[in-house]
Every structure is written in structure tokens, then in C-alpha cells.
Amino acid sequence: MNVEGRHYRTIWTEGGGDDETLYIIDQTALPHTFRILPLHSVEDVCRAIREMWVRGAGLIGATAAWGVWVAARTAPEQGFSEFMTQSMEKLRVTRPTASNLVWALERQKKAMAGLSGKEAERAAHAEAAAITDEDAQFCRRIGVHGLGLIQKLHERHPERPVNILTHCNAGWLAFVDYGSALSPVYAAFDAGIPVHVWVDETRPRNQGASLTAWELCRHGVPHDLIADNVGGHLMQHGMVDMVITGADRVTRCGDAANKIGTYLKALAAADNNVPFYIALPSSTFDFSLCDGVRDIPIEERNADEVRVMSGLSERGEVERVCICPPETPARNWAFDVTPARLITGLITERGVCEASEEGILSLYPEQRGI
């Protein structure tokens, strides 16, 4: 993604040798401030994931992978193995729902097996770089495969834009580059297909309003911000051609965990015969699970995310305000699970498939029997 004339990924390093430094974009400052932060320690990386300076399944995985490299370069010579085990556990517990995090840590464990010191550091760096490049490449391919679906919808109604509804942010900011749900949108827009995006605000953290809208503005894609509860109304009146969202974990049978409120969009889409797609790279699959509603862990976050909102005041200052009586308690489940029966298809880096075990295994046959 280009920001003020410079291309950025969401995580990168600068410098070399002992001076090489890991950098991220602080997503909590968007859309009002574009701020870059260095991460110098495992504690920095854990805080970045836990406090959502970085967020989104793919980026969480990539950040965890780089966190292992940061740990390796700061680990003591004596007790190296114990330090790395403790550091990986700190990273693992930062966010429980996204499968990419544990997937990235497992890849790093294999890459560093039997190594220590500088050898382990070099192996961790190489694997983190590979995971980062792979995430960007997979998301680019998701865009290619999703472009075909948007093209078919455009051919049905060439006289108007294809109206796409999305929930939360599954764009460039949620991955290393391109994104999952927004990658087909960018691919279609760049190919000259007229598209328009309905952007759910996505409370309580408003990732749609603050991140998706910011991205679409940067890319020039036509869009409108809507309240979370408007989607069903738009579908009833034929104003949505398709829904595309991302996911934080998808089971081998096609159930998908995504930002809270996704399930309701899927129900509305099913009731109005609107195609509902989940876009994801293979790192988001959890082939060890089948029943997502029963088995996917759902993170419950701080209640103040529901009770308190932030925004730009008339004075041009970012302020926090309480939107309920001070004594009112709140609950804050961050994700819900959409059953496979409500999902039209999954858009992956290998193609589009049905949200079913056989559909998924047709693209990932190496997972049979696991």
C-alpha cells in the first residue's frame, strides 16, 4: 500500500547486523495519525499484539514470527533454550483466537530446532522473512481468485458498480500487504471494474471506520461507511451484490471465526440470497478442528472497549468519551463463528472452494488424514 508516495508493508526491518530494527505501523493511531513504532524486545512485540498496535490474522502471525527473531537476538548464551521457550509462550498467549499466531510459532520452532546463539538468530530471521513474504504473496493470489467472482457479478449488471459489503478490516493493514477480503476489491478496482464498498463501522473498536475506510481512501476505491446494523436493510433492497469478510480461524469443515457481528451478516445474506464469502490464506485454517462453534476459543476483551469510544473532536484533538452510565457494566466478546452452511465459498491463495471438508481438502489434499 502506498502512503504519501511511499510503499509500506505493515511490518518490516531496517538497518543491518546488530543495528537491524523491527518496525510496525501503530494501527491504534489511525485514521488520524500515521505513526511508525520500533519494537526492540519480546515485551514490545507482545504488547503490540495484545494492545492491537498490530491486528488481523496474517499480521499477528508475521509479528509473532519476527518476535521470535527479536527474542533470539536478545537471548542470553547461558539458558538460551529456556529463554526462547518462555518468549514463545509469552507470544502465544497474547491473542487466543487467530490460528496464524500459533502456526507462525510452530514454523519458527522447526526452523530453529537444534540451533542456538547466532545460528538460531539467523534461522529465525530467515523464517520470519519467509513468512512475511509468503503472507503478501498469498494475499495477492486471493485477490486474483476473488477478481473472477467480482467480474461475473459485473457482467450481470454492467450498468452499475458491484456493491460489496465487508465487516471489520481484512485489508492491507490486517496482513503484510494486499489483505484478504479487500484484496479482490483492490484487484477489481485496478482492473477497471467499477466497485463500491459498504464499510461496516465494526464496533466496539471501529476497525471498519478507522482502518478499512482509511485504506479505501488511500487507494481511491468508492465506499460509504454504514452503521453495523444497516447491512440487512441494504440486502433486503438489493443494494448488496456480495459480502466478503476475512477470518481469524477456519476449521477443516468450513466454520469461520471472524470479528463479532459477522455471523449476523451471514444470516442476513442467506435470507436475501446474497453470496457470502470468506477470504483467507492457508495459514488461517485450523485443520485440527471441525466444529467451530464448539471448539474455536473466543477472546473476551476489556469491557472498556464497549463503554468508551475515541474520536477526533471539533478542536482537532483525539479524545475518549464514555457512552454509557459510569456504573453500567459491559461484556466484550471479540469474535463469533459463522457456520459453514451460511458461507457461499472460501477464497484462498489456491482458488475458491466450498466451505466444507471436501471442498477445502480439494484445494489442500495434503491435509487428508491429519
Side-chain angles (χ1 to χ4, degrees):
M1 176 72 71
N2 290 323
V3 180
E4 297 179 356
R6 174 181 168 180
H7 179 265
Y8 286 90
R9 283 182 165 185
T10 51
I11 188 166
W12 70 97
T13 66
E14 293 182 8
D18 292 340
D19 294 327
E20 187 170 6
T21 302
L22 181 65
Y23 291 94
I24 61 165
I25 297 165
D26 179 5
Q27 297 191 26
T28 63
L30 292 172
H32 308 300
T33 303
F34 184 75
R35 182 164 61 212
I36 294 170
L37 297 175
L39 304 179
H40 298 293
S41 66
V42 175
E43 286 69 26
D44 287 348
V45 177
C46 289
R47 186 181 179 192
I49 297 173
R50 186 172 52 250
E51 298 189 11
M52 298 179 71
W53 300 350
V54 298
R55 26 73 53 213
L59 181 54
I60 288 173
T63 304
W66 282 108
V68 175
W69 168 68
V70 170
R73 72 195 308 231
T74 57
E77 291 185 14
Q78 298 296 324
F80 180 89
S81 178
E82 292 79 6
F83 181 87
M84 293 304 301
T85 298
Q86 292 171 6
S87 296
M88 287 193 187
E89 180 61 16
K90 289 178 182 178
L91 290 163
R92 186 189 68 80
V93 299
T94 51
R95 300 290 304 275
T97 301
S99 61
N100 304 63
L101 193 157
V102 174
W103 168 85
L105 294 178
E106 289 300 317
R107 280 189 53 167
Q108 284 287 33
K109 284 182 182 179
K110 291 179 181 178
M112 298 171 63
L115 303 177
S116 62
K118 286 295 183 182
E119 287 186 346
E121 179 186 337
R122 285 192 289 270
H125 187 286
E127 191 66 15
I131 288 171
T132 302
D133 290 343
E134 182 182 284
D135 183 83
Q137 186 59 234
F138 281 10
C139 285
R140 186 191 66 79
R141 293 179 193 170
I142 288 170
V144 172
H145 295 302
L147 170 60
L149 299 173
I150 297 175
Q151 177 67 51
K152 289 179 181 178
L153 290 171
H154 175 55
E155 290 171 356
R156 293 182 191 175
H157 300 284
E159 74 284 357
R160 61 170 176 79
V162 179
N163 288 296
I164 302 167
L165 186 145
T166 191
H167 187 68
C168 195
N169 174 262
W172 163 72
L173 289 166
F175 290 83
V176 173
D177 210 346
Y178 299 100
S180 59
L182 288 188
S183 188
V185 173
Y186 292 140
F189 179 81
D190 292 345
I193 298 173
V195 293
H196 169 267
V197 182
W198 296 111
V199 180
D200 279 355
E201 58 189 345
T202 320
R203 292 189 178 183
R205 291 188 67 98
N206 295 319
Q207 293 100 324
S210 61
L211 303 179
T212 298
W214 183 83
E215 280 195 40
L216 295 174
C217 284
R218 302 284 80 71
H219 207 81
V221 178
H223 62 282
D224 284 288
L225 177 66
I226 57 173
D228 282 347
N229 292 328
V230 173
H233 168 77
L234 296 177
M235 294 182 210
Q236 283 181 328
H237 291 272
M239 300 172 70
V240 178
D241 296 303
M242 68 187 306
V243 181
I244 311 178
T245 77
D248 288 79
R249 188 183 301 219
V250 175
T251 71
R252 69 183 295 116
C253 297
D255 297 340
N258 192 52
K259 186 57 58 180
I260 195 76
T262 303
Y263 174 44
L264 295 178
K265 298 300 182 298
L267 288 171
D271 192 50
N272 291 280
N273 297 313
V274 173
F276 182 96
Y277 289 93
I278 297 286
L280 72 154
S282 54
S283 54
T284 302
F285 282 111
D286 185 341
F287 288 99
S288 71
L289 301 182
C290 191
D291 188 333
V293 175
R294 182 188 65 196
D295 295 331
I296 294 178
I298 300 299
E299 177 182 4
E300 186 172 359
R301 294 181 59 81
N302 192 308
D304 279 351
E305 292 182 354
V306 175
R307 301 174 67 255
V308 178
M309 296 183 67
S310 64
L312 197 64
S313 72
E314 293 181 353
R315 299 188 300 275
E317 299 174 352
V318 176
E319 297 183 358
R320 289 167 54 85
V321 296
C322 183
I323 63 170
C324 63
E327 65 273 23
T328 295
R331 300 290 296 274
N332 183 19
W333 289 276
F335 303 92
D336 58 25
V337 175
T338 298
R341 59 184 169 79
L342 297 175
I343 301 171
T344 305
L346 305 174
I347 310 171
T348 81
E349 80 277 0
R350 294 191 184 180
V352 182
C353 68
E354 291 184 354
S356 67
E357 185 169 21
E358 281 306 307
I360 294 167
L361 293 179
S362 71
L363 293 183
Y364 299 92
E366 70 275 16
Q367 298 296 333
R368 289 186 183 274
I370 295 179

